[in-house]
């Protein structure tokens, strides 16, 4: 073989080896890219709200979602999944991928569902990972303007005299508004007549029209009507009066200290979500709640943040576990029998 032929053969071998190496590197790169994509978080987070747009929970969700998005560097979109006493939304998140891309915001309805519904497709005690507590809000009792009396004490006396003739609007069996009505009836010695609505907005509309008597609602929703003087502010479940509602006495001031109920929102993800992911979401939530602008907005809505020590996922899980049996007893005292969620 001549020197020229030898050089040509060596070049062919080297070329073949080079191409093989390139193919190998290409395959390796493809595998690594696929793994990286599988491990990287979704570019979009869905924050599932079990109630209609414009309500108190929806408002809080949009406020925190916007700020969490800035910290996480991911879009946070709101998805309103309404129905079944919040069970449709709960199930939506319980069955989602455990990767932190789908988050639930809910309140006592999540705790009440096991006592109210027979057809849950998830186990409330095991289906979720607690991310963190958002805000703590008292409930306020509002009434139609035509309720007779000169002030809250007179209105409560009228309610007690009416007994089961007084009708309470509520946003669904097992919701805060329903359970507060049951609690008040237990304290005053009667079983309240309750009328279900598809949210606060239509209930308040009927209160304004004088077609229903009373509604226990989040301060967030009731505040504008009380301040405008279009509805009576009767009682609030906070330990002391709110700055925004100085003329509305606490339930304790009105001789009903047992009507002690605050509504808290929490964030949840599907069980099995990695601890690191839960931690990242919790950190984003805590940073959002440290924003003075957000805090001011929450305060204007009549809600309060939790103390720093209670903002961890572990603290949230403890409160959840403690309130679950308490809510179950309250539902039991109402005489409601569990039925299928619709």
């Amino acid at each position: 073989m001549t020197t020229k032929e030898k050089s040509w053969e060596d070049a062919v071998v080297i070329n073949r080896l080079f191409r093989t190496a390139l193919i190998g590197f290409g395959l390796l790169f493809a595998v690594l890219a696929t793994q990286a994509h599988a491990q990287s978080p979704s570019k979009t987070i869905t924050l599932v709200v079990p109630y209609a747009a414009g309500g108190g929970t929806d408002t809080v969700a949009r406020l925190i979602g916007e700020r969490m998005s800035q910290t996480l560097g991911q879009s946070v979109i709101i998805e309103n999944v309404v129905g079944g006493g919040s069970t449709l939304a709960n199930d939506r998140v319980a069955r989602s991928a455990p990767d932190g891309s789908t988050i639930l915001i809910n309140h006592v309805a999540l705790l009440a569902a096991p006592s109210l519904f027979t057809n849950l497709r998830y186990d409330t005690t095991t289906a979720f990972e607690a991310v963190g507590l958002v805000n703590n809000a008292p409930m306020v009792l509002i009434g139609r303007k035509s309720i007779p009396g000169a002030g809250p004490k007179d209105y409560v006396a009228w309610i007690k005299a009416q007994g089961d003739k007084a009708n309470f609007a509520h946003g669904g069996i097992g919701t805060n508004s329903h359970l507060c009505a049951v609690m008040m009836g237990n304290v005053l010695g009667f079983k309240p007549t309750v009328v279900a609505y598809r949210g606060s907005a239509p209930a308040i509309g009927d209160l304004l029209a004088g077609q229903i008597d009373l509604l226990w609602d989040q301060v967030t929703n009731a505040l504008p009507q009380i301040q405008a003087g279009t509805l009576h502010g009767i009682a609030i479940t906070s330990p002391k009066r709110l700055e925004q509602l100085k003329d509305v006495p606490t339930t304790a001031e009105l001789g009903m200290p047992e009507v002690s109920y605050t509504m808290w929102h929490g964030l949840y993800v599907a069980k099995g979500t990695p601890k690191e992911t839960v931690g990242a979401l919790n950190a984003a939530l805590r940073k959002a709640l440290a924003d003075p602008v957000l805090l001011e907005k929450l305060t204007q809505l009549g809600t309060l943040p939790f103390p720093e020590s209670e903002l961890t996922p572990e603290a949230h899980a403890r409160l959840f576990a403690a309130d679950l049996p308490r809510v179950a007893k309250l539902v039991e005292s109402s005489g409601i029998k569990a039925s299928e969620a619709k």
Side-chain angles (χ1 to χ4, degrees):
M1 180 182 296
T2 65
T3 302
K4 185 176 183 180
E5 289 173 333
K6 174 66 174 173
S7 298
W8 174 257
E9 184 176 319
D10 289 345
V12 170
V13 171
I14 292 172
N15 186 49
R16 187 182 300 120
L17 292 172
F18 182 69
R19 283 188 298 169
T20 301
L22 283 178
I23 292 171
F25 280 124
L27 290 173
L28 178 61
F29 180 79
V31 170
L32 292 176
T34 300
Q35 290 178 343
H37 178 73
Q39 293 171 359
S40 64
S42 169
K43 293 298 182 184
T44 300
I45 291 175
T46 300
L47 181 52
V48 179
V49 180
Y51 313 102
T57 301
D58 180 76
T59 300
V60 172
R62 292 177 191 276
L63 286 173
I64 63 169
E66 178 185 356
R67 283 158 180 80
M68 288 180 68
S69 173
Q70 296 169 3
T71 300
L72 295 168
Q74 297 169 262
S75 298
V76 176
I77 62 171
I78 304 297
E79 181 181 337
N80 298 92
V81 180
V82 183
S86 87
T87 60
L88 295 182
N90 301 341
D91 185 66
R92 158 93 168 83
V93 176
R95 293 177 176 275
S96 67
D99 58 6
S101 64
T102 307
I103 305 173
L104 173 70
I105 181 171
N106 208 345
H107 47 55
V108 72
L110 179 61
L111 303 171
S115 301
L116 294 171
F117 304 114
T118 58
N119 60 332
L120 296 185
R121 298 196 299 169
Y122 59 90
D123 183 340
T124 304
T125 61
T126 61
F128 306 98
E129 301 280 359
V131 173
L133 295 164
V134 181
N135 64 328
N136 198 10
M139 298 290 286
V140 62
L141 179 62
I142 52 179
R144 56 179 171 83
K145 284 292 286 186
S146 53
I147 290 177
K153 287 186 177 180
D154 292 341
Y155 307 145
V156 172
W158 178 86
I159 294 168
K160 187 173 182 178
Q162 291 294 304
D164 60 8
K165 293 179 182 178
N167 48 56
F168 289 75
H170 67 85
I173 297 296
T175 59
N176 302 286
S177 52
H178 172 251
L179 295 180
C180 276
V182 170
M183 189 181 292
M184 186 175 189
N186 289 345
V187 171
L188 295 183
F190 67 89
K191 186 175 181 179
T193 297
V194 292
V195 182
Y197 285 80
R198 290 185 63 83
S200 294
I204 289 176
D206 275 3
L207 276 174
L208 292 169
Q211 295 175 359
I212 197 148
D213 299 323
L214 302 154
L215 169 67
W216 280 101
D217 202 1
Q218 299 179 43
V219 174
T220 308
N221 299 326
L223 189 62
Q225 300 297 340
I226 298 173
Q227 291 178 330
T230 53
L231 293 174
H232 289 313
I234 300 174
I236 193 164
T237 61
S238 54
K240 60 181 181 180
R241 297 192 187 195
L242 289 189
E243 183 67 25
Q244 302 93 322
L245 295 173
K246 290 181 178 179
D247 295 330
V248 179
T250 67
T251 51
E253 288 180 81
L254 293 170
M256 302 181 293
E258 302 88 348
V259 184
S260 175
Y261 191 100
T262 57
M263 187 211 75
W264 49 264
H265 283 109
L267 297 187
Y268 307 85
V269 289
K271 190 70 175 180
T273 300
K275 187 174 181 180
E276 295 76 12
T277 303
V278 174
L281 293 173
N282 177 265
L285 173 62
R286 293 170 77 158
K287 186 173 181 180
L289 294 174
D291 181 349
V293 176
L294 176 61
L295 285 176
E296 178 60 25
K297 288 183 177 180
L298 290 177
T299 301
Q300 289 173 358
L301 292 172
T303 72
L304 301 170
F306 280 86
E308 177 68 23
S309 61
E310 296 178 29
L311 293 179
T312 65
E314 293 76 17
H316 181 184
R318 287 193 296 270
L319 179 59
F320 186 93
D323 268 9
L324 197 58
R326 185 175 74 91
V327 171
K329 288 181 181 179
L330 197 53
V331 172
E332 182 182 0
S333 74
S334 73
I336 297 169
K337 303 299 181 184
S339 61
E340 290 192 0
K342 297 179 181 178

